[in-house]
Amino acid sequence: MSDDEVDHELLDLLRKSLGIGPKDPSAPPETNVLKDAEYVCNNSIDVALDMRHTKLAAHSILAQMQERGYSSKIWCEHALHPKAKDESTVNFIFTMDLLNFSFWSEKSEEERFAVTYQEKRWTGYWSLVAALQRALDEDVPITTPAFWINEEECTEDILRHVFRSDTEEEMPMFTERVECLREAGRVLEEEFDSSVTALIEEAKNSAAGLVNLLADRFPCFRDEARFERKKVRFLKRAQIFVADLWAAFEGLDYGSFNDIEKITMFADYRVPQMLHSLGCMAYSPPLDGRIRRLDLIEPGHSWEVQIRGCSIWGVELLRREILKLDPEAKVNAILIDFFLYDLAKEQEKSGEEAIPHHRTRSIWY
């Protein structure tokens, strides 16, 4: 080779090292959520992670998870989650995670949006699950994608009835939830023959592939932001759909994924709150004050992006520390997220919350 000739092999290696050029079509799918979270964490000035407390928390979390026999089976054990191992459960989970966002309320526990189902009052995330189960009991096909785009049958009045509240407060962001249903129904009809199982099959048992499919084809799942002039991905609801499938089907059938370890925690309200309570995550005084005053933080604000990115990376560090303590522990980011969420709700119920969760109105979480 002369000095004037281009070394194409060297050029390709350089492009790959810089992350530019065409993607290798044979490479396994990557969501880049964890990579983006690390970037956010490394460049955050208002949110910081504390490794000393992370190591302490890892000891505590591992001990509690072992004591409780905590596993993915916890998902199926809840009274409201579907129990069947078939397409009806797939459709239920897709509908549930399509609408799984923004349940917090500024009203009191007695006045906030609530749903009574099977003689029990449900609030927060569980109010959505209860409303879906109630609708199915009333023969409303609320988990059928073809129903969402039939505006003669699936009218706004019908949807208001499906998501009716026991109180005067209606379901938060009701209009946005209707828009998500309509949009997802259209995408499923046009690209997947109105079949959620066809969508799952196209991912070929790849958790990352399914997350990317949702983000690429469904704008309402495209949970991204800008931070320090860089696009970062969180993909909370896309990832939790995969995680819920994995848990509901116990890693089999529609929940069988060969790369489930690529799913991160689901950056929302409660896990950051719990990470802060455990001392794993700290806020700058201005951000801390904003959260404690219950002041709104706009979607996409640097503070919100830092909270979400550092939460993902914080749970990843917890996972690594737990595996250092017990290399045989059957734990991943999904189970740590589930556990921390449950712990946060337990503390809320007992009045032990150390700090409120941050307030952001968003369809992303």
Side-chain angles (χ1 to χ4, degrees), residues 23 27-33 206 208-209 211-212 233 235 259 262:
K23 294 180 181 178
E30 300 289 343
T31 68
N32 290 325
V33 172
S206 168
V211 168
N212 289 341
R233 312 180 93 201
L235 306 181
D259 56 353
K262 291 182 179 178

Side-chain angles (χ1 to χ4, degrees), residues 70-86 88-90 92-97 100 103 117-118 122 124-134 136 240-241 243-249 338 341-342:
Y70 206 88
S71 72
S72 61
K73 292 183 185 296
I74 198 77
W75 194 98
C76 296
E77 289 170 359
H78 195 282
L80 289 182
H81 279 156
K83 305 296 184 288
K85 308 293 187 188
D86 57 23
S88 70
T89 290
V90 171
F92 190 100
I93 293 172
F94 185 84
T95 310
M96 181 177 76
D97 290 328
N100 185 1
F103 297 106
Y117 178 67
Q118 293 183 341
W122 305 92
Y125 159 76
W126 295 112
S127 66
L128 167 66
V129 188
L132 296 178
Q133 294 285 18
R134 180 179 63 183
L136 293 175
I240 205 169
F241 173 61
D244 284 346
L245 285 174
W246 173 74
F249 288 90
F338 286 176
Y341 178 87
D342 288 346

Side-chain angles (χ1 to χ4, degrees), residues 90-357:
V90 171
N91 287 343
F92 190 100
I93 293 172
F94 185 84
T95 310
M96 181 177 76
D97 290 328
L98 180 63
L99 305 178
N100 185 1
F101 55 84
S102 197
F103 297 106
W104 61 270
S105 175
E106 294 175 343
K107 297 185 179 295
S108 68
E109 188 65 23
E110 294 72 30
E111 297 175 313
R112 68 181 297 188
F113 174 78
V115 170
T116 295
Y117 178 67
Q118 293 183 341
E119 301 181 348
K120 187 170 180 180
R121 186 176 186 270
W122 305 92
T123 59
Y125 159 76
W126 295 112
S127 66
L128 167 66
V129 188
L132 296 178
Q133 294 285 18
R134 180 179 63 183
L136 293 175
D137 287 355
E138 295 171 349
D139 294 323
V140 179
I142 191 59
T143 60
T144 302
F147 176 67
W148 307 335
I149 55 176
N150 185 340
E151 296 192 37
E152 290 184 4
E153 292 185 13
C154 184
T155 64
E156 184 173 315
D157 286 344
I158 289 289
L159 291 173
R160 286 192 181 280
H161 180 73
V162 166
F163 298 113
R164 66 191 182 275
S165 176
D166 293 348
T167 69
E168 292 185 4
E169 182 181 40
E170 74 170 12
M171 176 175 268
M173 304 189 79
F174 173 80
T175 300
E176 289 81 356
R177 292 177 205 276
V178 173
E179 290 171 356
C180 286
L181 283 171
R182 306 282 195 217
E183 177 195 284
R186 287 192 295 270
V187 174
L188 286 168
E189 180 188 46
E190 293 166 6
E191 302 194 34
F192 301 99
D193 196 27
S194 292
S195 169
V196 181
T197 57
L199 164 71
I200 295 169
E201 286 162 5
E202 187 163 323
K204 297 175 182 173
N205 297 104
S206 168
L210 183 50
V211 168
N212 289 341
L213 267 176
L214 288 166
D216 293 345
R217 309 284 183 89
F218 298 80
C220 61
F221 276 107
R222 200 171 299 143
D223 176 12
E224 300 171 343
R226 301 290 302 181
F227 183 71
E228 298 295 318
R229 299 181 299 279
K230 173 181 166 62
K231 182 181 80 172
V232 292
R233 312 180 93 201
F234 297 124
L235 306 181
K236 185 261 183 177
R237 290 187 296 110
Q239 290 202 100
I240 205 169
F241 173 61
V242 173
D244 284 346
L245 285 174
W246 173 74
F249 288 90
E250 300 180 60
L252 303 172
D253 200 11
Y254 296 115
S256 173
F257 299 102
N258 54 37
D259 56 353
I260 195 66
E261 73 283 352
K262 291 182 179 178
I263 300 301
T264 71
M265 67 79 75
F266 321 115
D268 59 4
Y269 308 101
R270 290 300 185 179
V271 174
Q273 180 189 32
M274 200 63 233
L275 290 173
H276 184 278
S277 296
L278 291 168
C280 302
M281 198 158 77
Y283 301 137
S284 67
L287 174 54
D288 190 272
R290 186 75 163 262
I291 292 171
R292 291 182 189 277
R293 291 192 305 270
L294 308 183
D295 290 344
L296 198 68
I297 300 175
E298 292 298 319
H301 189 288
S302 175
W303 283 348
E304 187 229 10
V305 174
Q306 289 178 61
I307 290 171
R308 299 186 76 198
C310 289
S311 297
I312 294 172
W313 191 244
V315 167
E316 172 61 15
L317 294 179
L318 272 173
R319 185 191 69 83
R320 295 179 185 184
E321 290 300 320
I322 288 171
L323 289 177
K324 285 180 187 176
L325 295 169
D326 182 1
E328 301 302 316
K330 293 186 178 352
V331 66
N332 57 23
I334 297 170
L335 288 177
I336 296 172
D337 181 290
F338 286 176
F339 180 78
L340 292 178
Y341 178 87
D342 288 346
L343 207 57
K345 297 301 287 184
E346 287 172 15
Q347 288 193 359
E348 178 189 40
K349 190 173 182 180
S350 63
E352 297 176 1
E353 288 179 305
I355 190 173
H357 65 74

Side-chain angles (χ1 to χ4, degrees), residues 34-53:
L34 190 61
K35 176 181 165 186
D36 288 350
E38 183 180 19
Y39 172 82
V40 170
C41 187
N42 288 341
N43 291 278
S44 289
I45 57 174
D46 292 286
V47 183
L49 298 179
D50 184 315
M51 277 310 299
R52 185 173 69 87
H53 280 93

